[in-house]
Amino acid sequence: ILRGIQPDEAVAHAEALFEAGVRAIEVPLNSPDPLASIARLAAASPLPLEVVVHGPLPAMVTDHCLIRAMLAPRTSAGLCRDLCRAGDFALVDSAGENHAVKTDQFCRNHLLFGRDLCLLPHLPSLAAAGVRQIRIEGQHYSPAHVGEVVGAYRRKLDRLTAAPGATDEDDLAALAARAPRPLGVGVFRYRTSR
């Protein structure tokens, strides 16, 4: 994952990674000018580029149990009471958005962004920049919802091939209506609107 990569550094980093045996690169969309980095990598690198386009993304991962710290601060250090298994937890920011706290199998807490990433309308610009692989993060979704999300992206990709100017408002509205959390474009909008 080339996090924070500058467009003029992208190709040299990719070549070094390829020589070291790496065979795929992800350019996060919170990198400075990600579309320019992707375009340069696509033109010069033998590595396939992957971009996460949908799903709940972690804003932070911590080894400290946020849930136990809030619900049972006086318990003995290191004593796990499986409080994270007792329900769904979230932190609320100053704007009123809920940031879900998920616990993995290693008891790390993942604080998710307040909205699930949804770049369905931005697939044309990603494809034009050279993205050939997309990833949908579905680990916090039901199997049925993963199927709906994959279907929407598949239809959009098929429309890009057949009719590049086709719209996807119906798929976007359906995803938003059935999503377990609000959808947004995450940090992508901040990097592309400057």
Side-chain angles (χ1 to χ4, degrees):
I1 299 176
L2 296 179
R3 205 171 305 285
I5 194 82
Q6 297 284 341
D8 58 346
E9 306 168 328
V11 173
H13 279 75
E15 288 170 350
L17 291 169
F18 185 76
E19 288 174 17
V22 172
R23 294 298 177 253
I25 293 178
E26 177 187 329
V27 178
L29 295 175
N30 63 345
S31 296
D33 203 358
L35 295 178
S37 294
I38 289 167
R40 288 185 185 188
L41 286 167
S45 174
L47 297 172
L49 306 175
E50 179 178 276
V51 172
V52 177
V53 295
H54 197 97
L57 299 180
M60 178 183 88
V61 179
T62 178
D63 288 329
H64 301 285
C65 185
L66 300 171
I67 298 164
R68 190 184 78 191
M70 295 315 236
L71 296 179
R74 293 190 177 98
T75 59
S76 301
L79 180 62
C80 180
R81 300 213 172 169
D82 286 330
L83 294 171
C84 59
R85 312 259 188 266
D88 292 329
F89 296 93
L91 298 177
V92 180
D93 67 17
S94 61
E97 285 204 342
N98 287 326
H99 296 264
V101 178
K102 301 292 185 180
T103 305
D104 65 19
Q105 70 271 27
F106 304 110
C107 292
R108 292 180 299 208
N109 287 177
H110 299 251
L111 179 66
L112 304 180
F113 282 108
R115 296 173 181 261
D116 288 358
L117 181 67
C118 179
L119 296 182
L120 187 66
H122 299 280
L123 284 184
S125 60
L126 294 170
V131 172
R132 298 294 175 257
Q133 292 179 196
I134 61 171
R135 186 170 80 223
I136 295 167
E137 292 287 348
Q139 71 269 26
H140 299 299
Y141 291 160
S142 69
H145 190 62
V146 169
E148 291 172 351
V149 172
V150 169
Y153 278 84
R154 177 75 267 159
R155 286 186 295 278
K156 178 65 175 178
L157 291 170
D158 291 344
R159 283 192 298 267
L160 279 176
T161 305
T167 62
D168 55 297
E169 286 87 14
D170 290 342
D171 279 331
L172 188 58
L175 285 179
R178 291 193 284 278
R181 297 171 2 109
L183 299 178
V185 294
V187 295
F188 183 60
R189 69 184 161 134
Y190 301 114
R191 295 299 182 185
T192 59
S193 63
R194 290 185 182 170

